[in-house]
Amino acid sequence: MRREVLEIPQAVARLFEQSATEMERAGTELKAVDPRVLVTVARGSSDHAASFIKYAVELTTGVPVASLGPSIASIYQAPLKLAGAASLSISQSGKSPDIVAMAEAVRRSGAVAVALTNTAGSPLALAADHAIDIAAGTEKSVAATKTFVNSAVAGLGVLAHWAGDKALLSALQDLPRHLEQAVACDWTTFADALDGTSSVFVLGRGPALAIANEVALKFKETCSVHAEAYSGAEVMHGPMALVGPGFPVLALAARDKAESSIIGAADALAAKGAAAFITADGARQAARLPFAATGHPLTDPLVLIASFYAFVEAFARRRGLNPDEPRNLRKVTETV
């Protein structure tokens, strides 16, 4: 896992070297079609990448994005009405039966189908109008890392061409060097706060909430730590009842319009005794974690996951666990 995390910057550079043309083609067709809605099809880390892209699409184009449950096609076989829509399916292997069935059903229903997969020529790729090889390279660790990042970046690449957003495209081209900085960030102080605990909150808003969900999953997968992701607003309601002295909180703040609200939530939790850590300057009570700033509000939250991946791999080993082979898990899960 560590080797694959360190490879993330090179994997992103490789994505643009190998798949830039297909990302542009997909984005150009979406621009021509001008879909009224975009639907996504994915599970696990791929679904978190889809959620990240959802926020990016809605913030950039104003087109609403909805996640489809794969069982609608694979188990219930219910027809959908998607004429004039677009779809985005994401899968590392591109062969999980329920994801493929849903992608095929969406295309039959009239949507322009885009697929992101790490396996060229897979059933999912064949089910799409535009199949984009995310070019992450072989990923041996069970926990997805570079495939998550490349899926999210590929989605942003399509979006940049769809929206004609030159600033986003430039930020993506510059992303490898920022990812180098992110992987090198030292979050050891957060590890100290987690020692002896079995539960943690992860906070985010907007695109960073999608990253928070991926962080929570990786805590469970690699460290056997129960982690829950919450919006910085939602955590102030019912979940607050669980917060007590020393309760660990990781607040993922990006340099976007939600930054101040995340700082406020982290400080409020710290005031109640939580061991709150935040990736931002300006917090008065929460502890600061180092972060890489990219200069763009959509790439800023994405680099946070690279810092976390480097952290969680080391933290799993600190707990005496092997992050490459988590208990009860395998690399490819084929569900119906």
Side-chain angles (χ1 to χ4, degrees), residues 176-197:
R177 73 178 182 90
H178 293 301
L179 286 165
E180 291 276 8
Q181 296 167 359
V183 170
C185 287
D186 184 359
W187 287 10
T188 304
T189 55
F190 183 47
D192 295 340
L194 285 169
D195 280 341
T197 65

Side-chain angles (χ1 to χ4, degrees), residues 104-150:
E104 291 172 340
V106 164
R107 192 181 185 190
R108 286 195 304 269
S109 298
V112 175
V114 179
L116 308 179
T117 175
N118 202 37
T119 310
S122 65
L124 182 62
L126 297 176
D129 296 300
H130 297 278
I132 298 168
D133 183 353
I134 65 171
T138 302
E139 189 174 62
K140 295 182 179 180
S141 175
V142 170
T145 53
K146 61 181 180 175
T147 52
F148 170 84
V149 174
N150 272 33

Side-chain angles (χ1 to χ4, degrees), residues 1-331:
M1 181 178 175
R2 178 166 178 76
R3 182 170 60 249
E4 289 165 0
V5 170
L6 293 175
E7 192 193 345
I8 288 173
Q10 292 73 38
V12 169
R14 186 165 57 243
L15 167 64
F16 284 98
E17 290 168 2
Q18 298 183 13
S19 300
T21 298
E22 192 53 46
M23 286 188 284
E24 182 175 3
R25 286 174 180 165
T28 299
E29 180 164 2
L30 291 176
K31 185 175 183 178
V33 169
D34 190 21
R36 298 296 89 188
V37 65
L38 173 71
V39 295
T40 64
V41 182
R43 288 199 187 279
S45 287
S46 294
D47 196 36
H48 299 154
S51 180
F52 177 82
I53 296 165
K54 161 192 165 67
Y55 279 104
V57 168
E58 291 175 345
L59 289 168
T60 303
T61 69
V63 174
V65 181
S67 173
L68 296 180
S71 62
I72 293 297
S74 63
I75 292 179
Y76 297 104
Q77 299 177 2
L80 296 170
K81 299 176 182 179
L82 293 171
S87 72
L88 179 67
S89 302
I90 308 176
S91 170
Q92 296 171 46
S93 68
K95 63 181 183 179
S96 187
D98 56 348
I99 300 298
V100 175
M102 188 76 250
E104 291 172 340
V106 164
R107 192 181 185 190
R108 286 195 304 269
S109 298
V112 175
V114 179
L116 308 179
T117 175
N118 202 37
T119 310
S122 65
L124 182 62
L126 297 176
D129 296 300
H130 297 278
I132 298 168
D133 183 353
I134 65 171
T138 302
E139 189 174 62
K140 295 182 179 180
S141 175
V142 170
T145 53
K146 61 181 180 175
T147 52
F148 170 84
V149 174
N150 272 33
S151 294
V153 173
L156 290 180
V158 172
L159 171 61
H161 291 291
W162 174 8
D165 191 331
K166 293 181 180 180
L168 176 56
L169 195 58
S170 177
L172 292 172
Q173 297 286 356
D174 206 26
L175 198 51
R177 73 178 182 90
H178 293 301
L179 286 165
E180 291 276 8
Q181 296 167 359
V183 170
C185 287
D186 184 359
W187 287 10
T188 304
T189 55
F190 183 47
D192 295 340
L194 285 169
D195 280 341
T197 65
S198 59
S199 197
V200 59
F201 281 173
V202 188
L203 310 185
R205 292 199 81 170
L209 178 57
I211 302 303
N213 276 287
E214 171 65 5
V215 165
L217 176 62
K218 288 300 182 289
F219 264 127
K220 296 167 188 171
E221 284 182 334
T222 64
C223 302
S224 296
V225 170
H226 179 251
E228 294 295 337
Y230 289 104
S231 158
E234 188 64 33
V235 76
M236 306 310 289
H237 296 275
M240 182 73 80
L242 293 177
V243 176
F247 189 95
V249 175
L250 172 60
L252 299 174
R255 274 24 70 196
D256 65 8
K257 291 182 178 180
E259 182 178 24
S260 61
S261 70
I262 291 295
I263 291 174
D267 277 343
L269 291 167
K272 295 184 180 299
F277 290 76
I278 187 167
T279 58
D281 297 319
R284 296 187 176 185
Q285 299 198 51
R288 180 189 184 277
L289 289 174
F291 57 87
T294 69
H296 194 284
L298 290 180
T299 53
D300 239 35
L302 185 56
V303 296
L304 294 175
I305 196 61
S307 299
F308 174 77
Y309 284 153
F311 160 80
V312 81
E313 189 277 340
F315 184 63
R317 296 192 184 281
R318 174 169 168 159
R319 290 172 65 96
L321 301 172
N322 180 0
D324 296 331
E325 298 180 0
R327 184 179 61 188
N328 301 329
L329 299 180
R330 57 182 180 174
K331 183 61 182 172

